[in-house]
Amino acid sequence: MAATTDEEDPYIWLEDVESEESLNFAKDSNEKCLKALGEPTDGPTYDRVLGVLESKDRIPYAAKRGLDENGNELLFNFWKDAENPKGLWRKCTMESYKKENPEWETMLDLDELSKKDDISWVWKGSTPLQRARDPMSDGGKRVTRALLSLSRGGSDAVHIKEFDFLKGDFVPENENPFNLPEAKTRASYKSRDVLSVGSDFGPDSLTDSGYPRTVREWVRGTDVKDAPVVFEGEKTDVAVGAYTSDQRFRNGPIYEVRYRSVTFYTSKYLARIIDYEHLLAPDDPLREKAGSPPEFKEVQVQDDADVSFIGNLLMITLRSDWEPVPGQKFIKAPCYNVKTKVEFYNITADGFVRVGKDMEPQIRDVSISAIDAVDDDRFWLTTSSFLEPTTLQIADASLVQNSEIDGEGLYAIEKVKSLPPQFDSSNLEAIQGSATSKDGTQIPYFLVKNKDVTLDGKNPTLLYGYGGFEINLGPHYTAIPGLAWIERGGVYVIANIRGGGEFGAKWHQAALKENRNKAYEDFIAVAEDLIASGYCKPSTLAVRGGSNGGLLVGNMYTMRPDLFGAIHCAVPLIDMKRFNKLLAGASWMGEYGDPSTDDWDNYLHKYSPYHNIDTSVEKCPALLVTTSTRDDRVHPAHARKFVKKLWDLGKDKDWPVYYYENIEGGHGGAANAKQSAFMDSLAYDFMFETLSKNAKAL
């Protein structure tokens, strides 16, 4: 297939994100979409979805930030509800948190800040100053400051603002705060008055992917533009960064790490062991006395491995077989067919020692995170399944002994919060199926359905997939699909196709670049298995995917239009000829390949939906494409150009195509609960009503 040059692309004008022409296209398309499909707020789904998103019954997940002035454990939480659509950043004590109605104290009201600044702020998280590196922290007990990341409208680019926990407000200008304007910034504290920061500092400071190419050491009270560049990568790198891993609380040293993310999956690491004094500002007397730190040394691991530190141990996360030593010396987790199993290990001077009884793999989701890795062995234990709402418990790793394990192999000492049921699951069941892909590989999938479902092919069936970037799709509580699809009588399916991480790195690597077809063949195999099993027919089968999943279902539209009745393609990659030239696209060439080389003619053109629209096909499934103007990760032009081209080529054909572009929202597609409910309801109602209409015609 001949490559389409930029000059031959008549829709390239839609790549100008906020031009008058592009925005008019989006606004006109939105109006046509709602006129054809109806206003989501008037449909059967919107109020219920919004009710879930704004419910006060949700679990307020919290992170410990040391102690308060009275020595009580202090937890922080970011919370949105109907009264606070943009959100509250708030705190309470652990004792209060365990109560049914905790006594929260608001630290930052984003709705008020948005009104004050006349900016639609979206919370993107906080990076605290480590207690051990802060002389104001009362002997390492309190967190006193944090870098807040705030986004305009939900984009990946953020403003950095420094917050003072002790004063409950932003650090004032007379105290020289670490504030930075909008960019895809990466910043972390070295010490209270020194920051490692990568950002947009002008020419040559960003990679081709749009992320920081340099790291500067910024001392409080100086101009960041004068901060010396201490590390830099290549323009072709995805990004560079630096961080400090302070392991003194585990009787280890302080590690200073610098890294180049050469591709999405390969990195180069440099590290050194330093003294605390080396973290201080250059003019600090203590740093002057410490002398020069040692030189950085390259960490000798293979390029596709990730590294981290625990105490005196170097932790290596592998994506391919370890080369220096025989593979049998490393413990490999057995394949549990996407079911969850938890194992506990003690970290000793000799490595890892397994503790606790064995447990059976289950169709459920388990999440474990430290309450405070510095102070104790307690951890948050979060469990859920497709049909069982989330439960948050406190467990204690020190109690995981053979005689003290409960029947599931976990030692939960205290239930903290439980999510009430958000849809009726009394007559539902979650099962696991398997389909045979084109090359004979068995592809597992989860299926949630009514126990009494009739296998007559008339059930509205929704198949969801992703299949990329080593991301796995597991059995977690499905509140929105539960009430928007399953409770209405639909069958909901999640496919664990290659390209994901369900079976480790090899499952992902099996569908990289020239083998991308494997992911699509797997997805098609699951769809055909659902049809063969009697759950649906092509006209009653819908597929949905976003981002890389949008590329997946975009290819389903062009490859197998006969196999589906409706498709929702969200914030998608579509134009695989130009993806590496649009926003962060260059960072994904490790996943897809480089279209500026022979990769395009050899294989990339085969799964570029934008270039594979078959005009000989007279009938295609109903297609809804959605995106966000403020998506600065996957360019909205992918969606815009695809839709415009389909409209132009399909004028005399049975190609129903609808397009909605949210003006805010970033890559998530929505900036607040109301927008999320709007977009979800638009998609689910479109698919369910389309399939229900098709079912009546059978």
Side-chain angles (χ1 to χ4, degrees):
M1 177 179 289
T4 301
T5 64
D6 297 349
E7 291 75 17
E8 294 172 337
D9 185 350
Y11 308 106
I12 202 167
W13 55 275
L14 287 165
E15 293 180 6
D16 190 343
V17 177
E18 295 186 325
S19 71
E20 184 177 0
E21 281 184 302
S22 293
L23 292 178
N24 284 340
F25 171 80
K27 293 173 183 176
D28 290 345
S29 301
N30 291 354
E31 185 177 338
K32 293 176 183 177
C33 178
L34 298 186
K35 184 176 181 180
L37 302 183
E39 180 70 38
T41 55
D42 297 333
T45 308
Y46 176 82
D47 287 339
R48 296 199 64 200
V49 171
L50 183 61
V52 167
L53 297 176
E54 294 186 335
S55 171
K56 294 183 182 295
D57 289 330
R58 290 172 290 124
I59 294 178
Y61 296 105
K64 184 178 174 183
R65 293 288 182 256
L67 308 179
D68 67 9
E69 63 275 11
N70 299 316
N72 299 307
E73 292 181 288
L74 199 59
L75 301 179
F76 277 74
N77 160 261
F78 187 75
W79 180 260
K80 295 180 180 180
D81 57 28
E83 291 77 34
N84 307 280
K86 294 193 177 298
L88 301 173
W89 193 39
R90 56 190 191 171
K91 66 179 180 179
C92 73
T93 65
M94 175 67 85
E95 182 181 1
S96 179
Y97 183 73
K98 294 177 181 179
K99 297 178 181 178
E100 184 175 352
N101 296 302
E103 298 173 359
W104 294 101
E105 178 184 341
T106 297
M107 299 288 285
L108 179 65
D109 186 327
L110 242 62
D111 292 274
E112 289 185 1
L113 183 66
S114 295
K115 291 177 183 177
K116 174 178 172 292
D117 295 344
D118 195 25
I119 296 174
S120 180
W121 289 122
V122 174
W123 178 262
K124 290 289 185 174
S126 64
T127 303
L129 167 61
Q130 293 83 350
R131 287 170 275 168
R133 292 180 239 156
D134 181 9
M136 306 294 290
S137 70
D138 189 19
K141 297 177 181 177
R142 305 174 67 185
V143 175
T144 64
R145 289 193 173 181
L147 303 174
L148 305 190
S149 298
L150 302 177
S151 160
R152 285 191 307 122
S155 64
D156 284 355
V158 296
H159 291 249
I160 300 294
K161 295 178 180 289
E162 191 175 25
F163 195 89
D164 189 324
F165 285 106
L166 303 183
K167 297 179 180 178
D169 203 352
F170 291 110
V171 177
E173 288 299 323
N174 63 0
E175 295 185 20
N176 300 310
F178 286 129
N179 293 343
L180 287 166
E182 185 176 68
K184 292 184 178 180
T185 300
R186 297 183 175 186
S188 63
Y189 288 101
K190 287 189 68 173
S191 61
R192 182 181 178 84
D193 296 318
V194 182
L195 218 61
S196 294
V197 59
S199 191
D200 186 353
F201 295 118
D204 295 325
S205 65
L206 299 178
T207 66
D208 293 337
S209 299
Y211 296 103
R213 190 183 71 84
T214 62
V215 175
R216 298 187 180 214
E217 190 170 283
W218 183 18
V219 177
R220 191 183 300 279
T222 65
D223 191 328
V224 68
K225 294 179 181 178
D226 298 328
V229 175
V230 296
F231 183 59
E232 61 183 294
E234 303 293 334
K235 284 281 288 182
T236 53
D237 290 346
V238 172
V240 304
Y243 64 91
T244 301
S245 180
D246 192 338
Q247 292 294 315
R248 288 176 291 173
F249 69 95
R250 292 192 177 103
N251 299 315
I254 302 173
Y255 303 92
E256 187 175 5
V257 183
R258 295 172 180 172
Y259 63 89
R260 292 172 51 209
S261 297
V262 181
T263 70
F264 208 88
Y265 304 108
T266 61
S267 300
K268 298 286 188 182
Y269 291 93
L270 300 171
R272 64 183 179 184
I273 294 175
I274 57 174
D275 297 325
Y276 170 75
E277 290 77 14
H278 293 128
L279 300 174
L280 304 176
D283 60 352
D284 191 296
L286 291 177
R287 179 161 175 175
E288 293 178 1
K289 290 180 181 179
S292 299
E295 294 294 320
F296 280 91
K297 293 184 178 180
E298 184 174 346
V299 181
Q300 297 294 326
V301 296
Q302 56 213 63
D303 288 352
D304 64 349
D306 291 330
V307 301
S308 58
F309 298 90
I310 297 181
N312 289 303
L313 298 177
L314 170 66
M315 305 292 295
I316 305 172
T317 303
L318 300 175
R319 287 194 177 94
S320 59
D321 290 340
W322 180 249
E323 297 168 357
V325 297
Q328 63 266 25
K329 290 185 178 289
F330 287 81
I331 298 173
K332 292 186 177 180
C335 169
Y336 297 126
N337 207 26
V338 206
K339 295 179 181 178
T340 302
K341 179 176 181 177
V342 178
E343 297 178 346
F344 288 90
Y345 293 81
N346 277 341
I347 301 174
T348 69
D350 298 323
F352 295 88
V353 178
R354 173 90 177 272
V355 296
K357 292 181 180 178
D358 206 1
M359 61 175 283
E360 290 297 319
Q362 300 179 41
I363 299 180
R364 69 167 183 175
D365 182 67
V366 179
S367 174
I368 292 175
S369 61
I371 292 176
D372 191 329
V374 176
D375 284 346
D376 59 45
D377 289 323
R378 294 174 305 157
F379 58 90
W380 299 115
L381 172 63
T382 308
T383 60
S384 73
S385 71
F386 284 119
L387 304 176
E388 297 171 350
T390 305
T391 295
L392 176 66
Q393 302 175 84
I394 293 177
D396 192 330
S398 68
L399 298 177
V400 182
Q401 305 296 331
N402 288 335
S403 61
E404 296 179 295
I405 300 289
D406 69 14
E408 295 183 335
L410 302 173
Y411 194 91
I413 59 175
E414 188 174 3
K415 182 179 289 187
V416 182
K417 310 281 182 184
S418 289
L419 186 71
Q422 296 175 309
F423 63 95
D424 183 6
S425 61
S426 59
N427 197 43
L428 301 180
E429 62 180 350
I431 62 175
Q432 203 170 25
S434 181
T436 304
S437 194
K438 184 177 181 180
D439 64 0
T441 302
Q442 291 300 302
I443 310 301
Y445 60 86
F446 293 111
L447 189 148
V448 187
K449 64 179 182 66
N450 193 292
K451 294 177 182 178
D452 305 320
V453 68
T454 302
L455 299 180
D456 60 1
K458 296 184 179 182
N459 305 288
T461 302
L462 174 56
L463 173 60
Y464 177 80
Y466 189 79
F469 295 94
E470 210 169 326
I471 293 173
N472 55 55
L473 302 180
H476 57 277
Y477 192 59
T478 55
I480 304 304
L483 63 87
W485 195 268
I486 307 169
E487 195 182 72
R488 296 166 74 178
V491 175
Y492 184 67
V493 185
I494 293 179
N496 302 116
I497 63 177
R498 281 173 285 186
E502 286 86 349
F503 297 105
K506 291 187 181 299
W507 193 251
H508 166 239
Q509 293 161 3
L512 281 180
K513 296 183 178 179
E514 68 272 15
N515 294 318
R516 200 70 185 177
N517 59 295
K518 301 295 184 184
Y520 306 140
E521 290 166 4
D522 294 355
F523 201 65
I524 289 170
V526 174
E528 291 178 334
D529 194 71
L530 293 171
I531 294 169
S533 299
Y535 289 108
C536 57
K537 295 189 181 297
S539 63
T540 57
L541 175 60
V543 289
R544 187 187 195 206
S547 191
N548 171 75
L551 174 62
L552 168 68
V553 300
N555 273 296
M556 294 302 100
Y557 183 84
T558 56
M559 290 178 177
R560 291 297 305 273
D562 62 305
L563 197 57
F564 310 103
I567 295 177
H568 175 215
C569 182
V571 290
L573 281 86
I574 291 291
D575 182 353
M576 300 307 289
K577 178 63 178 173
R578 287 183 50 78
F579 81 92
N580 62 324
K581 299 180 181 180
L582 301 173
L583 297 175
S587 66
W588 309 321
M589 290 192 292
E591 180 83 10
Y592 302 120
D594 183 351
S596 64
T597 68
D598 289 344
D599 290 353
W600 173 254
D601 287 322
N602 290 339
Y603 60 87
L604 253 172
H605 74 274
K606 296 178 182 178
Y607 56 80
S608 180
Y610 187 62
H611 297 88
N612 288 302
I613 301 170
D614 188 351
T615 55
S616 69
V617 176
E618 291 297 324
K619 180 176 176 57
C620 284
L623 174 67
L624 171 64
V625 181
T626 59
T627 191
S628 164
T629 309
R630 293 291 299 164
D631 188 346
D632 57 352
R633 192 181 312 174
V634 177
H635 201 294
H638 284 279
R640 292 171 173 175
K641 291 164 59 178
F642 188 46
V643 167
K644 184 67 169 69
K645 190 173 184 179
L646 287 172
W647 281 343
D648 288 349
L649 295 178
K651 287 182 178 178
D652 299 321
K653 302 178 184 297
D654 188 3
W655 291 4
V657 179
Y658 311 99
Y659 180 66
Y660 195 92
E661 180 174 322
N662 191 22
I663 305 303
E664 288 189 328
H667 192 51
N672 56 47
K674 285 185 171 59
Q675 290 181 15
S676 293
F678 183 97
M679 299 301 285
D680 279 338
S681 301
L682 176 67
Y684 280 105
D685 288 348
F686 154 73
M687 292 184 292
F688 199 87
E689 290 169 9
T690 299
L691 299 191
S692 297
K693 179 180 178 181
N694 293 344
K696 291 179 180 179
L698 292 176

